[in-house]
Amino acid sequence: MKGFAMLSIGKTGWIEKERPVCGPTDAICRPIALAPCTSDVHTVWAGAIGDRHELILGHEAVGEIVEIGSLVKDFKVGDRVLITAITPDWNSLAAQDGYAMHSGGLLSGWKFSNFKDGVFAEYFHVNDADGNLALLPEGMDLASACMLADMVPTGVHGAELADIQFGDKVAVIGIGPVGLMAVAASAIRGASEIFAVGSRPNCVELAKEFGATDVINYHDGDIAEQIMKKTGSVDKVIIAGGTVDTFIQAINMLKPGGKIGNINYLGEGDYVKIPRTQWGCGMGHKQIVGGLMPGGRLRMEKLASLVMTGRLNPSKLITHRFEGLESVEEALMLMKDKPKDLIKPLILL
Amino acid sequence: MKGFAMLSIGKTGWIEKERPVCGPTDAICRPIALAPCTSDVHTVWAGAIGDRHELILGHEAVGEIVEIGSLVKDFKVGDRVLITAITPDWNSLAAQDGYAMHSGGLLSGWKFSNFKDGVFAEYFHVNDADGNLALLPEGMDLASACMLADMVPTGVHGAELADIQFGDKVAVIGIGPVGLMAVAASAIRGASEIFAVGSRPNCVELAKEFGATDVINYHDGDIAEQIMKKTGSVDKVIIAGGTVDTFIQAINMLKPGGKIGNINYLGEGDYVKIPRTQWGCGMGHKQIVGGLMPGGRLRMEKLASLVMTGRLNPSKLITHRFEGLESVEEALMLMKDKPKDLIKPLILL
Amino acid sequence: MKGFAMLSIGKTGWIEKERPVCGPTDAICRPIALAPCTSDVHTVWAGAIGDRHELILGHEAVGEIVEIGSLVKDFKVGDRVLITAITPDWNSLAAQDGYAMHSGGLLSGWKFSNFKDGVFAEYFHVNDADGNLALLPEGMDLASACMLADMVPTGVHGAELADIQFGDKVAVIGIGPVGLMAVAASAIRGASEIFAVGSRPNCVELAKEFGATDVINYHDGDIAEQIMKKTGSVDKVIIAGGTVDTFIQAINMLKPGGKIGNINYLGEGDYVKIPRTQWGCGMGHKQIVGGLMPGGRLRMEKLASLVMTGRLNPSKLITHRFEGLESVEEALMLMKDKPKDLIKPLILL
Amino acid sequence: MKGFAMLSIGKTGWIEKERPVCGPTDAICRPIALAPCTSDVHTVWAGAIGDRHELILGHEAVGEIVEIGSLVKDFKVGDRVLITAITPDWNSLAAQDGYAMHSGGLLSGWKFSNFKDGVFAEYFHVNDADGNLALLPEGMDLASACMLADMVPTGVHGAELADIQFGDKVAVIGIGPVGLMAVAASAIRGASEIFAVGSRPNCVELAKEFGATDVINYHDGDIAEQIMKKTGSVDKVIIAGGTVDTFIQAINMLKPGGKIGNINYLGEGDYVKIPRTQWGCGMGHKQIVGGLMPGGRLRMEKLASLVMTGRLNPSKLITHRFEGLESVEEALMLMKDKPKDLIKPLILL
């Protein structure tokens, strides 16, 4: 079969591989919608997860089942399915511990285009099909469906990690596609004022549509100072962009007892820096937590229900549309080059 | 001063009383908006809290401060203020324990028209002014402001007690004004499907506007059966109406691990009944909790910010408007008689 | 193979059956230690779970693996293992939801001697071996090991459900073996005063050894009144005995904001009764939750570590010891007849 | 009155001051037991909270009330009382928010020897007496009583912040008096293996007595490596000593989904360093929180009940005893010089 792969750090290309083998609890799918992710860009051009050779890229897809393991109970060949980007081993101690996304070790629930071939291929493999697939709800558009793989659950997890409560003032740092979903999730989790930090015009516009009450442009000065000038300290911060240094501003703008939820993959730097005095010399109850999106079928079904009932509309993220597997290359390059009007591309097959 | 009072069970009338005395941490307010509550009806005509004599009624008000205690730091005469229906003693062990609404004993944070005169008077007394008042936000309409006393915080507390999470299926039993706010709160807390149980046409219409996806009419048969036929079991139930027997249906429709949040004042019956087998013979992890709305300034400020940012619009509850203190009598009778088109009356002064 | 079975309600006897078949993720074990449980008595003589025919009894065992499924990764033939009484399907949506014990439906994680043959046989079947077995720690005595199947995790779950915090005053109603473990668990969870409700002398003695500070004898009058006379209301109640009416006293003795954790299987009665006024007319924040013990390997390993580090000593529950599979009959009759000096019998094989 | 004060950074001495004035909600006490704290040393000789002039030192005391405010309800002159080192303003929005220790701003619940004169004087002032005093329980020894001011609640808070659950493996870094109480608190919160990191012989001995199962000596190599060699990663870490760099090792030894509770006042360094890769590139769900001990009467009463029921014995911390107010100087110098056999000194008056 044909797949679009990372050949080595900085290099991509089309390769031929054997179609993956279906174990007794697995499924083999063919993609019907795909999307590249900024992490694919980091994987290839920044070498964020180390070198990889002939590893098929991609972890955001909607698919159709073409082969199904003998022990799978709830799915059959021909089913059109949502597939979560993170596919934990549900029969693991990490899952029993409530952290299935780390089954097999830190971050190891992330398998596609990390430990095994990704979804940018004629066929791809899904482990633990009963636990990691969900039926594509009747009537759901493929754009939204494809955003349910990663953008929605990651953005939503930011609001969960930051533990947003009714009437909270929330800052969302970074309003790329994940940050935008974090804005939307904050709004439907009960936040009142939402400070969206970003500058790209169509992201700013969508942030407002999704519920941001203020937009903070980092070109206009220190973002913590700008926000605190407007509102005093905030109750919660969701970090969906920036670097290891972004936590300095996040701590600075946070109230004692506030919480930071990080959903930004930190690709560089030795240390995340927590400013000692603003962190209350270690005693300010400013809680810091960051986490990989939880995967799994139940969560995907619940998030899909938010789309079906009109609470979330992730299809609005899509700014560029393509057709055919071959266009994943062009779509990925778009993510790499980030033209000004891009939020997220989608490929239909 | 003049006040509209419960004279004894079943009797109301206008009385003359001394204007209340302002202690060092207290405030005396005059009302600028008032609303009667179903509990006022229960208090007078059902004798729900026992007999009371010449007790001024009412606990929902917006006011202007006319006198302020010497130890109050953050408010002054002339401030227009939100007043929460429940006014805890913040300097109590119950408050340190996280249950300020029960300071002084079970439910004893409820003082207005229960332990002391209520707000249907020329003047009323607010204990712990720094802890229980909030400035009326500039630009807030008085209808919303008055609903922030009780309807909003009680409805919102239902969503908190039921611990609604992203994508939850929620049943809200009862869609009077409190239930309607519970519907709205569920929607902005992340629920997907919301089953609103009720039958009055304008309540049904408003429930849909506030986010209900389905309306269940108890005239059409057992509500648990109706809901389960549509969706299987629900994740959470908010009880905002009914009787001690309503919990039977709530347990029946609830998934194992689900939660019931009760915000309905149960005025009659010896026992709340939990059906043994459907409760998993005591082992089904179906959690039951009911609670008086938390009061206090911080919460009022946070809920007010939901109104100011447009997340909630409680003014839509108001179906009837009056002017002048003397019209509290007519407004209360309206609550007692519940004409078909009534949701909530408001009196402006 | 030979097994001791429920023949029908009220009847038991030895039967011959085929040795169970080992699926790809399962294990077949032979018992090396066994214990009967009060639930076995309820199952047979009260018909608590309905009629059953030729169903092998027993769910508390330590075993040795004699056959192992082809997909099991972490166990092999010859391993001596702890087996949890509740054996969830870890690859289920209920497990993803955090309620694995209800996988397959309300209480359906309870499979042994409920949906399938139990452990009182030459061989027994364990589903999901990687998820539901744990290696018998080197040096652990078989009495403690066998108590880790049900008595320890159920008692401990009571302390979890009641959410015991440092310095809490806790009442434990019922001090049979489960209640005694709840007392011990409360003490190592941070309770200060622990009121153990019971009357059997050796249970009373062991309750004190496990950390009870007061013993309340229900023969001396209403237990809520006795406890409140001593201490005022309590912060938390664990119900480990009694009937559907026991909740009345539990609610009465509980502070506003307190929590009840029920771990008593309620075998009879239509309704659990919650006293309306003492429950704050539905608004007292007295939380009620009851739940089946969570099963699974991680939890068993963690609880076993409490035994190995000397925090818990469940072997003290054993008052009667037997040898040989054939003595399960005598041991079960002992549980049925409850002689005065019995807490828990153990059978070694 | 006479008091022992910080004169400026690096200088201490006896001064004369006016006896503090008692406001309507306050109390004036005379000390009956006192203890110096390492923070007093940091305050004076490291200038940890900036320069202070003629500020009376000390925040750990047991006292007798000599004057009481007119609005105080529950205490009277002559009462012997526990006084918590942190004395929040309970009538503040921070208290309503659940973070009373930060009332008035980050860490501002810490008033003694920070914003106002401390307890090393003939008389000292306690704000919000009803909220911040507790009656000395009859029969409690003064050593334990004095340790309830700071050592017990701070150590206990470490176990709360780290959210210890039954069977957790816990590392406690630093076993000075606070760390030792964190060890004891971990043991009675349900930890199984407790790795105490320290080297001073009498601290090591007491750590074992309080429940440590292993002692790790940082002189023997990297503590994370030592612990992981013994047990793999730990579930929780309590940081009760070290520097801003200690978090590196804490993160390294922590499982995905684990939690760090910091109770160490970080006096130096610009940034707390979180190692990026071991923190899962921001996505490892390794939660970091540090917090000032909560103060207040309810908590003090609850912790006192742990002492009275024999769950905790903080008097074991006392290695050196003095008599008379004048000996606070010698006791403080002892804390500064840290002789090998010192854990904590106590002064009786």
Side-chain angles (χ1 to χ4, degrees), chain B residues 111-173:
Chain B
K111 296 182 169 64
F112 284 130
S113 64
N114 184 6
F115 298 140
K116 71 172 184 185
D117 282 321
V119 298
F120 291 170
E122 290 177 276
Y123 302 100
F124 59 88
H125 169 271
V126 181
N127 60 296
D128 209 338
D130 278 328
N132 289 320
L133 297 176
L135 288 176
L136 177 66
E138 206 161 319
M140 180 178 281
D141 66 291
L142 289 177
S144 289
C146 199
M147 295 302 98
L148 281 165
D150 186 355
M151 298 299 99
V152 175
T154 298
V156 157
H157 198 42
E160 292 173 328
L161 292 172
D163 187 26
I164 290 171
Q165 299 296 325
F166 285 116
D168 272 353
K169 292 187 283 188
V170 178
V172 178
I173 303 179

Side-chain angles (χ1 to χ4, degrees), chain C residues 168 188 190 192 211 302 305 311, chain D residues 168 188 190 192 211 302 305 311:
Chain C
D168 272 354
I188 64 162
S192 54
K302 294 189 88 163
S305 75
R311 314 286 184 196
Chain D
D168 272 353
I188 62 161
S192 54
K302 293 189 88 163
S305 75
R311 314 286 185 197

Side-chain angles (χ1 to χ4, degrees), chain A residues 31-309:
Chain A
I32 57 181
L34 291 170
C37 177
T38 308
S39 357
D40 292 306
V41 175
H42 290 162
T43 297
V44 176
W45 286 280
I49 57 173
D51 208 354
R52 294 288 192 279
H53 296 278
E54 308 230 327
L55 180 79
I56 293 173
L57 291 163
H59 52 263
E60 301 183 26
V62 185
E64 183 186 307
I65 299 176
V66 297
E67 191 180 348
I68 197 79
S70 58
L71 297 175
V72 176
K73 285 170 287 186
D74 297 337
F75 297 91
K76 62 180 190 309
V77 170
D79 282 346
R80 290 155 65 91
V81 288
L82 303 170
I83 305 114
T84 188
I86 304 302
T87 53
D89 298 311
W90 288 102
N91 199 340
S92 64
L93 294 194
Q96 292 192 14
D97 199 23
Y99 292 95
M101 69 291 274
H102 302 295
S103 55
L106 193 62
L107 309 187
S108 297
W110 174 21
K111 295 182 170 62
F112 285 130
S113 64
N114 185 7
F115 297 140
K116 72 172 183 185
D117 283 320
V119 299
F120 292 170
E122 289 177 276
Y123 302 101
F124 59 88
H125 169 271
V126 181
N127 60 296
D128 209 338
D130 277 328
N132 289 319
L133 296 176
L135 287 176
L136 178 67
E138 208 162 318
M140 181 179 281
D141 66 292
L142 289 177
S144 288
C146 198
M147 294 304 96
L148 281 166
D150 187 355
M151 298 300 98
V152 175
T154 299
V156 157
H157 198 42
E160 292 172 328
L161 291 172
D163 188 26
I164 290 171
Q165 299 297 325
F166 284 117
D168 273 353
K169 293 187 282 188
V170 178
V172 179
I173 304 179
I175 50 172
V178 160
L180 285 166
M181 292 318 305
V183 168
S186 297
I188 63 161
R189 173 89 177 184
S192 55
E193 293 175 57
I194 300 176
F195 297 84
V197 178
S199 63
R200 292 156 59 99
N202 56 357
C203 292
V204 163
E205 194 181 344
L206 196 49
K208 286 178 181 167
E209 191 177 335
F210 280 170
T213 51
D214 291 83
V215 174
I216 303 296
N217 189 328
Y218 55 89
H219 296 122
D220 296 343
D222 181 275
I223 60 170
E225 281 173 25
Q226 287 187 67
I227 291 174
M228 295 182 78
K229 199 169 165 184
K230 286 197 169 191
T231 198
S233 56
V234 296
D235 297 296
K236 308 289 166 64
V237 178
I238 300 174
I239 299 181
T243 70
V244 290
D245 290 342
T246 303
F247 289 75
I248 299 172
Q249 292 160 311
I251 291 289
N252 286 349
M253 70 178 76
L254 196 65
K255 74 165 183 189
K259 293 177 187 173
I260 294 175
N262 179 66
I263 46 174
N264 186 32
Y265 186 90
L266 300 165
E268 290 177 288
D270 287 340
Y271 297 105
V272 175
K273 289 182 202 144
I274 309 302
R276 181 184 62 85
T277 51
Q278 287 304 309
W279 201 46
C281 302
M283 299 197 137
H285 289 96
K286 297 184 179 182
Q287 179 181 308
I288 305 162
V289 62
L292 192 63
M293 60 164 266
R297 173 174 163 198
L298 176 67
R299 185 173 177 80
M300 207 156 28
E301 288 177 355
K302 293 191 87 164
L303 297 182
S305 75
L306 287 173
V307 175
M308 294 308 289
T309 52

Side-chain angles (χ1 to χ4, degrees), chain B residues 188-199:
Chain B
I188 63 162
R189 173 90 176 184
S192 55
E193 293 176 57
I194 300 175
F195 297 84
V197 178
S199 63

